[in-house]
Amino acid sequence: MDVKFSARHFNASAGLQDRIQEEMDKLARFYPNITGASVNLDHEVEHQRHCDITINITGSVIVASADEENMGKAVDVALERAKTQLKKANEKQNDHRAQPISDVV
């Protein structure tokens, strides 16, 4: 999956970016039609880190964000929120499918 990273007011380490990339690749299990994603990390205030995750799926956009004391925790919370939204979007898509003819007859 193509993930675009953006870090404001600090330099994101390569290890953090690799970890986020791995976790974003795991999200494809919950919704297979992810077309792109962007992750914005912000360290504006002294004791507050902010993470925004925007995921483009077929026909919609999923946005998850979190404010925490450290960047790792903010990323984890935002990923968990994105996972919940992706599961819900996948369930909605699967619920709208027609019944197979073998079940109707």
Side-chain angles (χ1 to χ4, degrees), residues 12-55:
S13 67
L16 178 63
Q17 290 182 11
D18 291 341
R19 182 173 155 260
I20 293 171
Q21 180 68 46
E22 289 174 8
E23 293 295 325
M24 294 296 287
D25 289 339
K26 289 179 185 177
L27 289 180
R29 293 184 298 182
F30 302 107
Y31 195 91
N33 297 328
I34 296 175
T35 57
S38 67
V39 177
N40 299 319
L41 307 173
D42 192 4
H43 174 82
E44 190 169 336
V45 182
E46 177 84 19
H47 297 289
Q48 186 173 358
R49 310 298 186 265
H50 184 76
C51 176
D52 275 329
I53 298 175
T54 305
I55 302 171

Side-chain angles (χ1 to χ4, degrees), residues 3-101:
V3 179
K4 296 178 184 173
F5 292 97
S6 172
R8 292 182 51 202
H9 302 108
F10 79 107
N11 292 326
S13 67
L16 178 63
Q17 290 182 11
D18 291 341
R19 182 173 155 260
I20 293 171
Q21 180 68 46
E22 289 174 8
E23 293 295 325
M24 294 296 287
D25 289 339
K26 289 179 185 177
L27 289 180
R29 293 184 298 182
F30 302 107
Y31 195 91
N33 297 328
I34 296 175
T35 57
S38 67
V39 177
N40 299 319
L41 307 173
D42 192 4
H43 174 82
E44 190 169 336
V45 182
E46 177 84 19
H47 297 289
Q48 186 173 358
R49 310 298 186 265
H50 184 76
C51 176
D52 275 329
I53 298 175
T54 305
I55 302 171
N56 298 321
I57 60 175
T58 306
S60 185
V61 176
I62 302 289
V63 178
S65 63
D67 293 316
E68 296 293 334
E69 290 183 12
N70 66 28
M71 192 57 72
K73 190 171 182 181
V75 168
D76 289 340
V77 171
L79 283 168
E80 192 63 35
R81 290 176 180 169
K83 181 170 70 170
T84 302
Q85 291 181 37
L86 286 172
K87 284 181 181 179
K88 194 177 283 189
N90 194 21
E91 287 175 9
K92 283 183 180 179
Q93 182 181 16
N94 289 337
D95 287 345
H96 289 350
R97 292 191 178 154
Q99 292 181 345
I101 293 184

